[in-house]
PDB file of all heavy atoms in Angstrom:
ATOM      1  N   VAL A 139      89.165  58.442  42.514  1.00  0.00           N
ATOM      2  CA  VAL A 139      90.045  57.304  42.259  1.00  0.00           C
ATOM      3  C   VAL A 139      91.130  57.279  43.327  1.00  0.00           C
ATOM      4  O   VAL A 139      91.701  58.313  43.675  1.00  0.00           O
ATOM      5  CB  VAL A 139      90.714  57.398  40.866  1.00  0.00           C
ATOM      6  CG1 VAL A 139      91.542  56.158  40.586  1.00  0.00           C
ATOM      7  CG2 VAL A 139      89.679  57.603  39.784  1.00  0.00           C
ATOM      8  N   ALA A 140      91.431  56.087  43.849  1.00  0.00           N
ATOM      9  CA  ALA A 140      92.518  55.963  44.816  1.00  0.00           C
ATOM     10  C   ALA A 140      93.852  56.269  44.136  1.00  0.00           C
ATOM     11  O   ALA A 140      94.045  55.984  42.952  1.00  0.00           O
ATOM     12  CB  ALA A 140      92.545  54.562  45.410  1.00  0.00           C
ATOM     13  N   GLU A 141      94.760  56.855  44.898  1.00  0.00           N
ATOM     14  CA  GLU A 141      96.086  57.160  44.376  1.00  0.00           C
ATOM     15  C   GLU A 141      97.012  55.994  44.695  1.00  0.00           C
ATOM     16  O   GLU A 141      97.266  55.689  45.857  1.00  0.00           O
ATOM     17  CB  GLU A 141      96.609  58.455  44.982  1.00  0.00           C
ATOM     18  CG  GLU A 141      95.727  59.657  44.654  1.00  0.00           C
ATOM     19  CD  GLU A 141      96.293  60.964  45.201  1.00  0.00           C
ATOM     20  OE1 GLU A 141      97.345  60.922  45.854  1.00  0.00           O
ATOM     21  OE2 GLU A 141      95.667  62.013  44.949  1.00  0.00           O
ATOM     22  N   GLY A 142      97.509  55.331  43.652  1.00  0.00           N
ATOM     23  CA  GLY A 142      98.248  54.099  43.830  1.00  0.00           C
ATOM     24  C   GLY A 142      99.457  54.205  44.729  1.00  0.00           C
ATOM     25  O   GLY A 142      99.722  53.339  45.550  1.00  0.00           O
ATOM     26  N   LYS A 143     100.239  55.283  44.590  1.00  0.00           N
ATOM     27  CA  LYS A 143     101.442  55.442  45.403  1.00  0.00           C
ATOM     28  C   LYS A 143     101.108  55.778  46.849  1.00  0.00           C
ATOM     29  O   LYS A 143     101.899  55.529  47.749  1.00  0.00           O
ATOM     30  CB  LYS A 143     102.332  56.532  44.807  1.00  0.00           C
ATOM     31  CG  LYS A 143     102.911  56.187  43.438  1.00  0.00           C
ATOM     32  CD  LYS A 143     103.804  57.300  42.930  1.00  0.00           C
ATOM     33  CE  LYS A 143     104.372  56.954  41.562  1.00  0.00           C
ATOM     34  NZ  LYS A 143     105.226  58.040  41.034  1.00  0.00           N
ATOM     35  N   HIS A 144      99.952  56.365  47.044  1.00  0.00           N
ATOM     36  CA  HIS A 144      99.492  56.719  48.390  1.00  0.00           C
ATOM     37  C   HIS A 144      98.063  56.199  48.524  1.00  0.00           C
ATOM     38  O   HIS A 144      97.097  56.939  48.352  1.00  0.00           O
ATOM     39  CB  HIS A 144      99.528  58.236  48.595  1.00  0.00           C
ATOM     40  CG  HIS A 144     100.860  58.854  48.303  1.00  0.00           C
ATOM     41  ND1 HIS A 144     101.913  58.783  49.182  1.00  0.00           N
ATOM     42  CD2 HIS A 144     101.309  59.547  47.232  1.00  0.00           C
ATOM     43  CE1 HIS A 144     102.960  59.412  48.665  1.00  0.00           C
ATOM     44  NE2 HIS A 144     102.619  59.883  47.487  1.00  0.00           N
ATOM     45  N   GLN A 145      97.918  54.925  48.853  1.00  0.00           N
ATOM     46  CA  GLN A 145      96.610  54.296  48.841  1.00  0.00           C
ATOM     47  C   GLN A 145      95.677  54.839  49.917  1.00  0.00           C
ATOM     48  O   GLN A 145      94.481  54.556  49.890  1.00  0.00           O
ATOM     49  CB  GLN A 145      96.761  52.780  49.007  1.00  0.00           C
ATOM     50  CG  GLN A 145      97.411  52.109  47.809  1.00  0.00           C
ATOM     51  CD  GLN A 145      97.467  50.604  47.956  1.00  0.00           C
ATOM     52  OE1 GLN A 145      97.473  50.083  49.069  1.00  0.00           O
ATOM     53  NE2 GLN A 145      97.513  49.903  46.844  1.00  0.00           N
ATOM     54  N   HIS A 146      96.220  55.630  50.851  1.00  0.00           N
ATOM     55  CA  HIS A 146      95.369  56.233  51.869  1.00  0.00           C
ATOM     56  C   HIS A 146      94.748  57.530  51.373  1.00  0.00           C
ATOM     57  O   HIS A 146      94.001  58.177  52.101  1.00  0.00           O
ATOM     58  CB  HIS A 146      96.167  56.495  53.141  1.00  0.00           C
ATOM     59  CG  HIS A 146      97.362  57.378  52.952  1.00  0.00           C
ATOM     60  ND1 HIS A 146      98.508  56.971  52.307  1.00  0.00           N
ATOM     61  CD2 HIS A 146      97.578  58.666  53.312  1.00  0.00           C
ATOM     62  CE1 HIS A 146      99.383  57.957  52.284  1.00  0.00           C
ATOM     63  NE2 HIS A 146      98.848  59.000  52.887  1.00  0.00           N
ATOM     64  N   ARG A 147      95.035  57.915  50.145  1.00  0.00           N
ATOM     65  CA  ARG A 147      94.486  59.138  49.561  1.00  0.00           C
ATOM     66  C   ARG A 147      93.569  58.806  48.389  1.00  0.00           C
ATOM     67  O   ARG A 147      93.756  57.819  47.685  1.00  0.00           O
ATOM     68  CB  ARG A 147      95.600  60.067  49.073  1.00  0.00           C
ATOM     69  CG  ARG A 147      96.526  60.590  50.160  1.00  0.00           C
ATOM     70  CD  ARG A 147      97.579  61.484  49.552  1.00  0.00           C
ATOM     71  NE  ARG A 147      98.516  61.984  50.556  1.00  0.00           N
ATOM     72  CZ  ARG A 147      99.581  62.735  50.283  1.00  0.00           C
ATOM     73  NH1 ARG A 147      99.828  63.063  49.016  1.00  0.00           N
ATOM     74  NH2 ARG A 147     100.367  63.137  51.253  1.00  0.00           N
ATOM     75  N   MET A 148      92.582  59.697  48.181  1.00  0.00           N
ATOM     76  CA  MET A 148      91.712  59.614  47.011  1.00  0.00           C
ATOM     77  C   MET A 148      91.835  60.909  46.222  1.00  0.00           C
ATOM     78  O   MET A 148      91.813  61.999  46.808  1.00  0.00           O
ATOM     79  CB  MET A 148      90.252  59.428  47.423  1.00  0.00           C
ATOM     80  CG  MET A 148      89.939  58.105  48.095  1.00  0.00           C
ATOM     81  SD  MET A 148      89.887  56.703  46.953  1.00  0.00           S
ATOM     82  CE  MET A 148      88.435  57.107  45.973  1.00  0.00           C
ATOM     83  N   GLY A 149      91.977  60.799  44.918  1.00  0.00           N
ATOM     84  CA  GLY A 149      91.935  61.970  44.068  1.00  0.00           C
ATOM     85  C   GLY A 149      90.571  62.075  43.416  1.00  0.00           C
ATOM     86  O   GLY A 149      89.935  61.064  43.116  1.00  0.00           O
ATOM     87  N   VAL A 150      90.090  63.297  43.226  1.00  0.00           N
ATOM     88  CA  VAL A 150      88.815  63.527  42.546  1.00  0.00           C
ATOM     89  C   VAL A 150      89.117  64.274  41.255  1.00  0.00           C
ATOM     90  O   VAL A 150      89.778  65.316  41.264  1.00  0.00           O
ATOM     91  CB  VAL A 150      87.847  64.333  43.434  1.00  0.00           C
ATOM     92  CG1 VAL A 150      86.580  64.672  42.671  1.00  0.00           C
ATOM     93  CG2 VAL A 150      87.505  63.531  44.691  1.00  0.00           C
ATOM     94  N   TRP A 151      88.633  63.745  40.128  1.00  0.00           N
ATOM     95  CA  TRP A 151      89.017  64.227  38.805  1.00  0.00           C
ATOM     96  C   TRP A 151      87.805  64.727  38.037  1.00  0.00           C
ATOM     97  O   TRP A 151      86.747  64.112  38.052  1.00  0.00           O
ATOM     98  CB  TRP A 151      89.675  63.095  38.008  1.00  0.00           C
ATOM     99  CG  TRP A 151      90.908  62.576  38.666  1.00  0.00           C
ATOM    100  CD1 TRP A 151      90.977  61.686  39.698  1.00  0.00           C
ATOM    101  CD2 TRP A 151      92.249  62.938  38.369  1.00  0.00           C
ATOM    102  NE1 TRP A 151      92.269  61.461  40.056  1.00  0.00           N
ATOM    103  CE2 TRP A 151      93.081  62.217  39.254  1.00  0.00           C
ATOM    104  CE3 TRP A 151      92.828  63.792  37.434  1.00  0.00           C
ATOM    105  CZ2 TRP A 151      94.461  62.333  39.232  1.00  0.00           C
ATOM    106  CZ3 TRP A 151      94.208  63.906  37.406  1.00  0.00           C
ATOM    107  CH2 TRP A 151      95.013  63.188  38.299  1.00  0.00           C
ATOM    108  N   ASP A 152      87.991  65.845  37.363  1.00  0.00           N
ATOM    109  CA  ASP A 152      86.999  66.344  36.423  1.00  0.00           C
ATOM    110  C   ASP A 152      87.073  65.466  35.173  1.00  0.00           C
ATOM    111  O   ASP A 152      88.120  65.359  34.538  1.00  0.00           O
ATOM    112  CB  ASP A 152      87.282  67.801  36.074  1.00  0.00           C
ATOM    113  CG  ASP A 152      86.238  68.383  35.137  1.00  0.00           C
ATOM    114  OD1 ASP A 152      86.280  68.060  33.932  1.00  0.00           O
ATOM    115  OD2 ASP A 152      85.383  69.153  35.603  1.00  0.00           O
ATOM    116  N   VAL A 153      85.964  64.819  34.818  1.00  0.00           N
ATOM    117  CA  VAL A 153      85.985  63.845  33.738  1.00  0.00           C
ATOM    118  C   VAL A 153      86.247  64.509  32.384  1.00  0.00           C
ATOM    119  O   VAL A 153      86.988  63.973  31.549  1.00  0.00           O
ATOM    120  CB  VAL A 153      84.658  63.061  33.711  1.00  0.00           C
ATOM    121  CG1 VAL A 153      84.590  62.147  32.499  1.00  0.00           C
ATOM    122  CG2 VAL A 153      84.493  62.250  34.996  1.00  0.00           C
TER     123      VAL A 153
END
Side-chain angles (χ1 to χ4, degrees):
V139 184
E141 299 183 358
K143 294 181 180 179
H144 306 282
Q145 292 184 334
H146 58 288
R147 297 180 182 176
M148 293 285 293
V150 175
W151 300 81
D152 182 284
V153 174

